[in-house]
Amino acid sequence: MSSGHHVAAWRYPDANAEGGLDFNHFRQIAQAAERGKFDTIFFADGVSVRDRGQDKDIISRAGHVAHFEPITLLSALSVVTEHIGLIATVSTTYNETYHLARKFASLDYLSGGRAGWNLVTSATDSEAKNFNLDKHPDHTPRYQRAREFVDVVKGLWDSWEDDAFIRDKESGIFFDPDKFHVPNHKGEYFSVRGPLNVARPIQGYPVIVQAGSSEDGKNLAAETAEVIFTAHQTLADAKTFYADVKERAAKIGRNPDHIKIMPGIFPVIGRTEEEAQEKFQKLQDGIDPKVGLALLGSMLGNVDLSGYPLDEPLPDLPETELHQSRQDLLIRLARRENLTIRQLYQWIAGARGHYQLVGTPEQIADHLEEWFVNDAADGFNIMPPYLPSGLEEFVDLVIPILQERGLFRTEYEGKTLRENLGLPRPTNQFVVEKELVAA
Amino acid sequence: MSSGHHVAAWRYPDANAEGGLDFNHFRQIAQAAERGKFDTIFFADGVSVRDRGQDKDIISRAGHVAHFEPITLLSALSVVTEHIGLIATVSTTYNETYHLARKFASLDYLSGGRAGWNLVTSATDSEAKNFNLDKHPDHTPRYQRAREFVDVVKGLWDSWEDDAFIRDKESGIFFDPDKFHVPNHKGEYFSVRGPLNVARPIQGYPVIVQAGSSEDGKNLAAETAEVIFTAHQTLADAKTFYADVKERAAKIGRNPDHIKIMPGIFPVIGRTEEEAQEKFQKLQDGIDPKVGLALLGSMLGNVDLSGYPLDEPLPDLPETELHQSRQDLLIRLARRENLTIRQLYQWIAGARGHYQLVGTPEQIADHLEEWFVNDAADGFNIMPPYLPSGLEEFVDLVIPILQERGLFRTEYEGKTLRENLGLPRPTNQFVVEKELVAA
């Protein structure tokens, strides 16, 4: 979300409404995050205008419709940053393995080892329709394809051993032919010979990130992810998820410390509680009722709410197949808290399921500390409500408190994203094979 | 070719053999070209290691096997340059329209309107095998797909009118819904609904470049290209090609001045003719006979020449279907000039069919002037034998002569690549439709 993570961020006075296609906006964000010693910046992404089947009038009131493609943007940002990780979201459903392996390897070289891949399988028919399909493929084949996709990409990244390139002008030998491998993958979804025409990435593999919360998603993440972005409202839920994923990873022989779990945090920061609440109210007031209703309707399973009065309780709704658990959650919330339709869409529209913290820097730091020391988080995905200043406030006001408490770094530990996250550098699978043969 | 355009460039003492994955190498190249007021930099590309079916030992002696992916590289270079165009090669055969339209639109915004797309249809089975195929698709379907591909991409680039985005915080209207269009393409090769999630590119469309020399290639270029890279050995051939393409364009109603024809030039520059010849000889001596033989063999239609003595004339060869005209040309050349096998591969390996100029800056400027004033070229694609210093020599020694003669700019004329090339900014097709309806 270029102007900020609140659904009406672009209308907030401090937000840069033109941020989506303004390189200086992102330069400012990236440099602020680096000043704050963040591990990484990360951009969510999709390959469509997410219109949710709505009419032009409603879409025209939502802000996030035109913005940079993340790999091009992060390549450019690699030049104006030195330490911070650069994580791009790319879908396995609408991409080819060779392109993806190549672009991330290239970004890893451009940035000196700071690339990360947020693996998604996409979610909407609007994306399918841009890629020769009528509707989005089902969950199961999508995850099967994703699993095979990761294997192919890792094979391509291993095409060259780390020290394959000799480049000896005298002898004329450019690389050691024994350190060159042709993956030659043939599987159910992909037939990809390789080798990749980029050397093995500086990090071995760029860091692999995921955000799955379904069963398939959690299993794929436990198998392949090194960072997990997640969304929880309460410490108890976050702890349960944390323990669950770490256990799944351990069960299949992975070191649980090598999966970093980072819940999303939506911080609205004021010098006083009152100021924070005022800011939050201003954000909420910016939600156009048409946008809010459409968002709520889509989260309730494509229900049309336009006929109901905004300031009365949510009516009884027909059950739908789609997203039943989320629908259920929202309806229970509305009943329990006695929320009107307006209150309910406002509740969703801000943090959209992430942990919403409205308060002073100390209060926010207290909450982060509580989650961090109680095994609910290894770190956090900070989602400022408006950008760039919402991030700068976090960097200038909250980070110093965390640093004083000894909870957060004051200098980067390493050169690569992998080193800063404390993740091991993966061994080349073909070297492992050679060693097995030799043993 | 990261270290230079000569096949043995990487072995040349001045060449950066590690250039392929060294951002500073490309920064130096881009900044030198911008100092020389070049219209653009441009990188050839393919989506495979071009092994020509050779064994590892031979591939390991060729230099250009691992390098940046061009769109990521150019995105990064956009940050360290201000004026120069950034042209990336991307194949229509192994890509999807939405990704391509999006990445080039994104690059156009990152660079302030300096993006160009060199459209290729790819050439090798090694690429097909990285994309779920056994062999490269035939010429005709490849060009049919390319034609439709361009139409889809232009439709996506037109999704938003130039002034669609209002971003009015007060009213909450982000864009004018009447200036938003859903291309909804359904064709033989592609079904792509759109709209694109990037605003209309700064240039309307990034500049479209091609290098086709087949009949299909020349027709596609006459229809869609704005810049054509080409290769000729003689003024007469270059003039014939120039007149042919301009005529094809005029016949289908295009202004011939809006297709810029740029033959490739391979300049080896010395302060004296002798110095230039010595440099050239040093480059030629760097060609590993195994690499030279394999290159020649592949250009003669996959002939194995490894059994023949290098310093004797080319033997009689069986005719092959593949590349018959090129094979013919080479055999006639060898017979006419009485060339040995070594001389023949050396002849190919340098400029690879482009115009080879070995001499003083004045001599090289004379040749360029001759082609330019005789309607053989609108500009040139300068392919330095070694990089980065081969380009710096051209910028420092040849460009000033061309400027003194009034043949070349001393300052950039415009802000965008399109403006510097003297190309018009295309009108949005949906605006044209609206005007037709209104008329």
Side-chain angles (χ1 to χ4, degrees):
Chain A
M1 311 300 277
S2 312
S3 305
H5 288 272
H6 190 279
V7 76
W10 72 272
R11 295 185 72 182
Y12 192 76
D14 277 4
N16 180 355
E18 300 183 27
L21 290 166
D22 173 359
F23 178 65
N24 285 325
H25 174 69
F26 286 101
R27 184 205 303 253
Q28 198 176 337
I29 289 170
Q31 291 179 342
E34 190 163 89
R35 184 157 52 80
K37 315 292 178 200
F38 276 50
D39 296 311
T40 185
I41 48 174
F42 144 67
F43 302 117
D45 191 54
V47 275
S48 69
V49 173
R50 298 219 171 169
D51 57 12
R52 297 193 180 84
Q54 298 150 3
D55 68 28
K56 283 185 176 193
D57 181 51
I58 295 176
I59 312 168
S60 72
R61 292 158 188 270
H64 194 63
V65 291
H67 47 86
F68 287 119
E69 182 280 334
I71 294 191
T72 45
L73 175 59
L74 292 170
S75 298
L77 289 174
S78 75
V79 180
V80 296
T81 53
E82 264 184 87
H83 304 285
I84 199 158
L86 305 166
I87 296 179
T89 300
V90 183
S91 167
T92 54
T93 304
Y94 301 115
N95 277 281
E96 289 294 333
T97 57
Y98 200 88
H99 291 312
L100 183 137
R102 195 176 175 218
K103 289 196 163 77
F104 277 98
S106 196
L107 178 60
D108 209 46
Y109 275 94
L110 286 171
S111 63
R114 297 185 280 134
W117 169 28
N118 179 33
L119 185 168
V120 299
T121 67
S122 301
T124 65
D125 287 348
S126 65
E127 292 171 277
K129 287 175 184 166
N130 291 332
F131 294 90
N132 307 315
L133 298 174
D134 284 330
K135 61 186 286 296
H136 193 50
D138 286 341
H139 207 265
T140 305
R142 245 164 52 219
Y143 275 87
Q144 284 168 347
R145 179 181 162 106
R147 217 170 235 107
E148 189 179 330
F149 198 113
V150 173
D151 286 343
V152 180
V153 165
K154 287 182 175 174
L156 289 169
W157 284 334
D158 285 338
S159 299
W160 307 88
E161 294 183 25
D162 292 321
D163 55 352
F165 291 94
I166 304 163
R167 304 185 184 94
D168 181 24
K169 293 190 181 193
E170 196 52 46
S171 68
I173 308 289
F174 195 73
F175 65 82
D176 179 346
D178 291 337
K179 297 184 174 174
F180 168 69
H181 304 280
V182 179
N184 214 4
H185 174 92
K186 283 188 201 301
E188 196 183 336
Y189 291 87
F190 299 102
S191 173
V192 178
R193 180 171 172 273
L196 196 64
N197 56 2
V198 185
R200 191 162 195 258
I202 291 174
Q203 298 182 96
Y205 308 152
V207 173
I208 296 180
V209 182
Q210 273 165 69
S213 56
S214 66
E215 273 303 295
D216 279 344
K218 278 192 280 195
N219 282 330
L220 181 65
E223 281 170 34
T224 63
E226 302 178 288
V227 173
I228 297 183
F229 293 141
T230 177
H232 305 288
Q233 298 291 332
T234 65
L235 175 62
D237 283 353
K239 284 180 68 168
T240 305
F241 179 87
Y242 186 99
D244 179 21
V245 170
K246 300 262 176 175
E247 195 186 309
R248 282 174 206 249
K251 256 189 199 151
I252 56 169
R254 289 187 67 194
N255 181 339
D257 290 343
H258 296 161
I259 305 189
K260 306 297 179 185
I261 296 177
M262 304 197 183
I265 297 295
F266 176 88
V268 183
I269 308 166
R271 277 163 302 179
T272 61
E273 264 190 79
E274 294 66 38
E275 192 187 64
Q277 287 297 345
E278 276 165 29
K279 279 186 177 182
F280 185 56
Q281 196 53 50
K282 184 172 274 177
L283 281 159
Q284 296 289 66
D285 291 345
I287 305 172
D288 190 305
K290 287 186 183 178
V291 175
L293 274 182
L295 180 67
L296 178 59
S298 87
M299 292 187 84
L300 288 172
N302 295 326
V303 177
D304 182 5
L305 294 168
S306 57
Y308 298 98
L310 287 183
D311 295 310
E312 291 187 18
L314 188 71
D316 285 333
L317 293 172
E319 280 216 353
T320 63
E321 290 296 313
L322 190 71
H323 302 311
Q324 214 179 314
S325 64
R326 195 167 58 181
Q327 187 193 19
D328 227 53
L329 190 92
L330 284 172
I331 292 172
R332 275 190 290 130
L333 174 84
R335 300 281 174 262
R336 190 178 71 226
E337 308 279 337
N338 203 22
L339 299 181
T340 65
I341 289 181
R342 190 193 304 272
Q343 287 167 330
L344 192 59
Y345 77 60
Q346 285 190 342
W347 187 87
I348 295 166
R352 262 168 289 187
H354 293 270
Y355 188 29
Q356 183 167 288
L357 293 171
V358 182
T360 65
E362 288 72 21
Q363 288 172 328
I364 289 168
D366 289 347
H367 281 283
L368 299 185
E369 178 169 2
E370 186 187 23
W371 283 39
F372 184 70
V373 301
N374 283 295
D375 288 342
D378 294 313
F380 297 94
N381 175 20
I382 306 302
M383 305 166 74
Y386 46 87
L387 287 166
S389 57
L391 177 62
E392 291 171 329
E393 288 164 7
F394 189 89
V395 166
D396 293 332
L397 302 174
V398 181
I399 292 278
I401 300 173
L402 298 172
Q403 287 171 330
E404 270 164 40
R405 295 183 188 175
L407 294 167
F408 193 59
R409 70 162 69 86
T410 53
E411 269 314 323
Y412 285 100
E413 296 85 6
K415 287 194 166 180
T416 67
L417 173 57
R418 206 166 263 291
E419 286 165 5
N420 286 321
L421 287 170
L423 295 170
R425 189 174 184 280
T427 313
N428 188 317
Q429 61 191 278
F430 297 110
V431 174
V432 174
E433 274 176 27
K434 270 160 100 174
E435 282 166 1
L436 285 174
V437 171
Chain B
M1 311 299 278
S2 313
S3 305
H5 287 272
H6 190 278
V7 76
W10 72 272
R11 295 185 71 183
Y12 191 76
D14 277 4
N16 180 355
E18 300 183 27
L21 289 166
D22 174 1
F23 178 65
N24 285 324
H25 174 69
F26 285 101
R27 184 205 302 253
Q28 199 175 337
I29 288 171
Q31 291 179 342
E34 190 162 271
R35 185 158 52 82
K37 315 292 179 200
F38 276 50
D39 296 311
T40 185
I41 48 174
F42 144 67
F43 302 116
D45 190 54
V47 276
S48 68
V49 173
R50 297 220 172 168
D51 58 12
R52 298 192 179 84
Q54 298 150 5
D55 68 27
K56 283 185 176 193
D57 181 50
I58 294 175
I59 311 168
S60 73
R61 291 157 188 272
H64 194 62
V65 291
H67 47 86
F68 287 119
E69 182 278 334
I71 294 191
T72 46
L73 174 59
L74 292 171
S75 298
L77 289 175
S78 74
V79 181
V80 296
T81 54
E82 263 183 87
H83 304 286
I84 200 159
L86 306 166
I87 296 178
T89 300
V90 182
S91 168
T92 54
T93 304
Y94 301 115
N95 277 281
E96 290 294 334
T97 56
Y98 199 88
H99 290 312
L100 184 137
R102 194 176 177 220
K103 289 197 163 79
F104 277 98
S106 196
L107 178 60
D108 208 46
Y109 274 95
L110 286 171
S111 62
R114 296 185 282 132
W117 170 28
N118 178 34
L119 185 169
V120 299
T121 67
S122 300
T124 66
D125 287 348
S126 65
E127 293 171 276
K129 287 175 183 165
N130 291 332
F131 294 89
N132 307 316
L133 298 175
D134 283 331
K135 62 187 285 296
H136 193 51
D138 286 339
H139 207 265
T140 304
R142 245 164 52 219
Y143 276 87
Q144 284 169 347
R145 180 181 162 106
R147 219 172 233 105
E148 188 178 331
F149 199 113
V150 173
D151 285 344
V152 180
V153 165
K154 287 182 175 174
L156 290 168
W157 283 333
D158 285 338
S159 299
W160 307 88
E161 295 183 25
D162 292 321
D163 55 352
F165 290 95
I166 303 164
R167 304 184 183 96
D168 180 25
K169 293 189 181 195
E170 195 53 46
S171 68
I173 308 288
F174 195 72
F175 64 83
D176 178 347
D178 291 335
K179 297 186 173 174
F180 168 68
H181 304 280
V182 180
N184 213 4
H185 174 93
K186 284 190 199 302
E188 196 183 335
Y189 291 86
F190 299 101
S191 172
V192 178
R193 180 172 172 273
L196 196 65
N197 56 1
V198 185
R200 190 161 195 257
I202 292 175
Q203 298 182 96
Y205 308 152
V207 174
I208 296 180
V209 182
Q210 274 166 67
S213 56
S214 67
E215 274 302 297
D216 279 345
K218 277 192 282 196
N219 283 331
L220 181 65
E223 282 170 33
T224 62
E226 302 178 287
V227 173
I228 296 183
F229 293 141
T230 177
H232 305 289
Q233 298 291 330
T234 65
L235 175 63
D237 283 354
K239 285 179 67 169
T240 304
F241 179 87
Y242 186 98
D244 180 21
V245 170
K246 299 264 177 174
E247 196 186 310
R248 283 176 205 248
K251 257 190 197 150
I252 56 169
R254 289 187 66 194
N255 181 340
D257 289 344
H258 297 162
I259 304 189
K260 306 296 179 184
I261 296 178
M262 303 198 184
I265 297 294
F266 177 87
V268 184
I269 307 167
R271 277 163 303 180
T272 61
E273 265 191 77
E274 293 66 38
E275 192 187 64
Q277 286 297 344
E278 275 165 29
K279 281 185 176 180
F280 185 55
Q281 195 53 49
K282 184 171 273 177
L283 281 159
Q284 295 290 66
D285 291 344
I287 305 172
D288 191 303
K290 288 185 183 177
V291 174
L293 274 182
L295 180 66
L296 178 59
S298 87
M299 291 186 86
L300 287 171
N302 295 327
V303 177
D304 182 3
L305 294 168
S306 58
Y308 298 97
L310 287 183
D311 296 310
E312 291 188 18
L314 188 72
D316 286 333
L317 294 172
E319 282 214 354
T320 64
E321 291 294 314
L322 191 69
H323 302 311
Q324 214 178 315
S325 65
R326 194 166 59 180
Q327 186 193 21
D328 227 51
L329 190 94
L330 284 172
I331 292 173
R332 277 191 288 131
L333 174 84
R335 300 280 175 262
R336 190 178 72 226
E337 307 279 336
N338 203 21
L339 300 180
T340 65
I341 289 180
R342 189 194 303 272
Q343 287 167 329
L344 191 59
Y345 77 60
Q346 285 190 341
W347 187 87
I348 295 166
R352 262 169 288 187
H354 292 271
Y355 188 28
Q356 184 167 288
L357 292 172
V358 182
T360 64
E362 287 75 17
Q363 288 172 329
I364 288 168
D366 289 347
H367 281 284
L368 299 185
E369 179 169 0
E370 187 187 20
W371 284 38
F372 184 69
V373 300
N374 282 295
D375 288 343
D378 295 313
F380 298 94
N381 175 19
I382 306 301
M383 305 166 74
Y386 46 88
L387 287 165
S389 56
L391 176 63
E392 292 170 329
E393 289 164 7
F394 189 89
V395 166
D396 294 332
L397 302 174
V398 182
I399 292 279
I401 300 173
L402 298 172
Q403 287 171 328
E404 271 164 40
R405 295 184 189 175
L407 295 166
F408 193 59
R409 71 163 66 88
T410 53
E411 269 314 323
Y412 285 100
E413 295 86 5
K415 285 194 168 180
T416 68
L417 174 57
R418 204 166 265 290
E419 287 165 5
N420 286 320
L421 287 170
L423 294 169
R425 188 173 185 280
T427 313
N428 188 317
Q429 59 192 277
F430 297 110
V431 175
V432 174
E433 274 176 26
K434 269 161 102 174
E435 283 166 1
L436 284 174
V437 171

